[in-house]
Amino acid sequence: MNRLNISFGPESFSLRDSFTISRGAKKSAELITLRISDNIYSGFGECTPNIRYGQTIDGELDKLEVMMQAFEASNCDINRETINKLFEPSPARSAFDIALWDLELKKNKKSIWSYHNIKKPDVLPTMITLDASNIEKNLSIARTFSNSKIFKIKFKGDETDIDRLLKIREHYPKKRLLVDANESISPSKIGKYIESCERLNIEVLEQPMKTEHDHLLGAIKTKTILCADESCSSLEDIKKIEKYYDAVNIKLDKAGGLTEALMMQEVAIRKGIKTMSGCMLCTSLGIAASQIVAAKAEYIDHDAPLFLEQDRKIKINYSCGNLNIASSMLWG
Ligand SMILES: [Mg+2]
């Protein structure tokens, strides 16, 4: 077994304001930071467990302990190939995988861009999320980030959704708008919501209903792009959603790391499924590791660090609807 020093622990990053979606409100980003060192170079990763998938900070810390013990008990080298072969996708595996990428790139003195032979973009655009709290807050955030090309409006499945959407459309008649329902629309109301999305020129409707209702989308004909998020976590889920969705939101925490996220994106593109590069509530470190996915995605939702009171010391800068490319001091 190769000798690597691995340490990890929970960290909490307060949000500037609470962030509300259909499943409730959050006041902080609770995540795990992981460091892997070969005593010359260090690689960093982070992950954000999501209770929607039954994940907690303690549960993911336990998974990391189990991973460490499994490596100690075997002669397996710790590398991206072994962690992705031995362990199921999880936020814990994602933090591990991202840190291993970082270490590997630093050791080889390569950027993620040169590794993949992709020209490093100058900047990447990001959509800005307007949460499901209230219209006043939505319009205030929209004003602050009016340079952003796309707004993502969170729905909660009640009567306020369409009212908010109408008002936002009135204020921004030409803006590209995307709706993320986070599974909040009931099957009896899906027709009405789709009709409103078409009327208000909503480009994408993300995860309208609960995963178990996906098959109902098969009967819906709409020009609005339907994007899977909660219904598609990892590579093997793509075959479950390809009949019902036009697009998929790829997140490293769901995929269990960058290695699987890149495979998901490759398969999705081959099948003609559009891709979104998304994130959980995370810091610039989580975003940095997702930027290579974003560079090949139709949609980029990388605004999470904007909601933090304080980001990492080395961070990604945002301006005019764009974010800069992470320096290798942060990741990669
Ligand atoms: Mg979503």
Side-chain angles (χ1 to χ4, degrees):
M1 192 179 87
N2 51 344
R3 284 281 144 220
L4 294 170
N5 291 318
I6 301 171
S7 55
F8 50 84
E11 282 194 275
S12 180
F13 290 78
S14 298
L15 303 185
R16 290 172 196 271
D17 195 358
S18 62
F19 181 77
T20 307
I21 67 162
S22 62
R23 288 185 282 268
K26 288 209 166 94
K27 288 193 161 68
S28 61
E30 300 297 325
L31 45 90
I32 295 169
T33 306
L34 185 143
R35 174 176 181 262
I36 300 183
S37 167
D38 65 358
N39 295 319
I40 301 171
Y41 298 98
S42 291
F44 290 87
E46 70 171 36
C47 69
T48 308
N50 185 341
I51 198 68
R52 157 65 179 78
Y53 305 101
Q55 300 153 354
T56 60
I57 291 283
D58 285 347
E60 298 307 301
L61 289 170
D62 286 348
K63 279 183 206 166
L64 287 168
E65 290 292 350
V66 168
M67 291 165 87
M68 301 286 292
Q69 282 160 14
F71 280 116
E72 262 160 40
S74 71
N75 279 325
C76 260
D77 264 357
I78 302 175
N79 55 44
R80 289 193 291 114
E81 197 187 331
T82 50
I83 66 153
N84 284 286
K85 200 161 80 184
L86 295 173
F87 305 103
E88 292 295 309
S90 67
R93 195 187 79 179
S94 181
F96 217 133
D97 180 79
I98 296 168
L100 283 167
W101 267 105
D102 191 22
L103 179 64
E104 193 179 324
L105 293 166
K106 288 197 163 92
K107 270 170 79 172
N108 294 307
K109 300 196 167 32
K110 279 193 166 204
S111 72
I112 191 78
W113 308 98
S114 57
Y115 182 95
H116 287 281
N117 216 2
I118 292 176
K119 189 179 175 298
K120 181 175 148 183
D122 294 332
V123 291
L124 287 164
T126 181
M127 57 183 76
I128 292 292
T129 307
L130 309 180
D131 78 357
S133 55
N134 58 69
I135 186 64
E136 291 74 23
K137 187 175 163 195
N138 288 168
L139 292 177
S140 158
I141 300 273
R143 265 194 304 278
T144 307
F145 298 104
S146 61
N147 278 323
S148 175
K149 297 261 185 317
I150 309 185
F151 290 151
K152 177 190 270 204
I153 300 150
K154 290 283 192 180
F155 272 9
K156 51 183 171 185
D158 67 16
E159 63 289 344
T160 63
D161 290 341
I162 306 293
D163 282 354
R164 280 192 301 120
L165 193 57
L166 254 168
K167 292 202 175 84
I168 293 163
R169 180 47 94 208
E170 272 168 25
H171 279 80
Y172 297 93
K174 299 239 164 69
K175 184 73 79 183
R176 292 171 68 194
L177 297 181
L178 182 152
V179 161
D180 185 3
N182 288 107
E183 311 179 279
S184 63
I185 303 172
S186 67
S188 65
K189 291 190 185 148
I190 186 69
K192 187 179 138 230
Y193 272 84
I194 295 266
E195 188 270 320
S196 297
C197 285
E198 289 195 336
R199 186 164 42 83
L200 296 168
N201 199 19
I202 303 307
E203 187 168 325
V204 179
L205 174 57
E206 187 176 326
Q207 196 68 41
M209 296 181 287
K210 287 191 165 44
T211 300
E212 62 260 35
H213 302 311
D214 278 348
H215 63 282
L216 299 174
L217 295 173
I220 291 173
K221 294 272 171 289
T222 174
K223 62 179 182 179
T224 308
I225 292 166
L226 299 174
C227 179
D229 184 359
E230 286 85 342
S231 287
C232 185
S233 288
S234 56
L235 187 59
E236 66 163 29
D237 291 335
I238 297 224
K239 55 181 182 293
K240 290 188 214 156
I241 59 110
E242 62 181 318
K243 279 196 289 217
Y244 310 119
Y245 291 93
D246 315 296
V248 59
N249 187 342
I250 296 172
K251 298 175 184 169
L252 306 194
D253 281 306
K254 291 192 298 174
L258 178 59
T259 305
E260 183 149 341
L262 287 167
M263 288 193 281
M264 282 178 81
Q265 188 171 40
E266 198 185 312
V267 170
I269 291 171
R270 212 185 312 133
K271 287 174 180 283
I273 300 171
K274 294 181 194 306
T275 61
M276 180 186 298
S277 177
C279 60
M280 304 295 183
L281 281 172
C282 66
T283 73
S284 281
L285 177 58
I287 297 297
S290 310
Q291 286 189 313
I292 189 78
V293 179
K296 287 186 276 179
E298 269 90 359
Y299 297 98
I300 304 172
D301 179 11
H302 279 191
D303 61 355
L306 288 171
F307 299 115
L308 303 178
E309 216 162 70
Q310 195 152 26
D311 196 353
R312 303 238 174 226
K313 281 195 189 77
I314 302 170
K315 59 180 182 171
I316 292 172
N317 290 315
Y318 289 74
S319 71
C320 302
N322 293 320
L323 55 152
N324 68 357
I325 304 304
S327 106
S328 60
M329 301 273 287
L330 173 64
W331 186 87

